[in-house]
């Protein structure tokens, strides 16, 4: 990966959501592969995170709410966001 490619990436925000309807969705960031660690372990099912408050939201099961969105559970701990 070229060094100038890392400089072109936008800075990861304190709070980010993968849902385009959320006010915390930032389209430019999803052009890159973003990784999330919770308590030092990488998670691949994160729908939303907040670093300062220390939580991530992940799909609880395959169950959907009445709007067809996945049911989310909140997990707390030390959150780290990074580009892969």
């Amino acid at each position: 990966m070229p060094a100038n490619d890392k400089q072109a990436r936008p800075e990861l925000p304190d709070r980010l959501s993968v849902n385009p309807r959320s006010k915390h969705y930032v389209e430019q960031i999803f052009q890159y592969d973003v990784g999330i660690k919770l308590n030092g372990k990488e998670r691949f099912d994160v729908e939303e995170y907040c670093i300062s408050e220390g939580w991530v939201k992940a799909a609880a099961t395959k169950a959907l709410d009445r709007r067809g969105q996945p049911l989310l559970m909140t997990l707390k701990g030390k959150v780290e966001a990074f580009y892969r």
Side-chain angles (χ1 to χ4, degrees):
M1 180 179 307
N4 60 357
D5 185 37
K6 285 187 176 184
Q7 294 173 351
R9 295 177 180 178
E11 187 174 331
L12 289 169
D14 176 57
R15 187 169 180 178
L16 184 66
S17 175
V18 298
N19 186 344
R21 298 185 315 187
S22 170
K23 67 179 181 178
H24 301 292
Y25 177 80
V26 181
E27 185 175 355
Q28 296 82 10
I29 289 177
F30 291 109
Q31 295 175 359
Y32 306 98
D33 196 16
V34 177
I36 304 294
K37 285 186 180 181
L38 179 66
N39 296 327
K41 184 177 178 188
E42 190 168 2
R43 296 196 54 113
F44 299 95
D45 61 346
V46 174
E47 299 280 330
E48 185 173 353
Y49 73 80
C50 183
I51 295 171
S52 64
E53 295 177 14
W55 56 260
V56 298
K57 290 188 179 182
T61 60
K62 293 185 179 187
L64 302 175
D65 66 9
R66 65 179 180 247
R67 294 182 189 96
Q69 300 297 315
L71 290 176
L72 301 178
M73 62 181 174
T74 302
L75 305 169
K76 296 186 180 216
K78 183 178 183 231
V79 179
E80 299 172 59
F82 58 93
Y83 286 111
R84 289 194 188 111

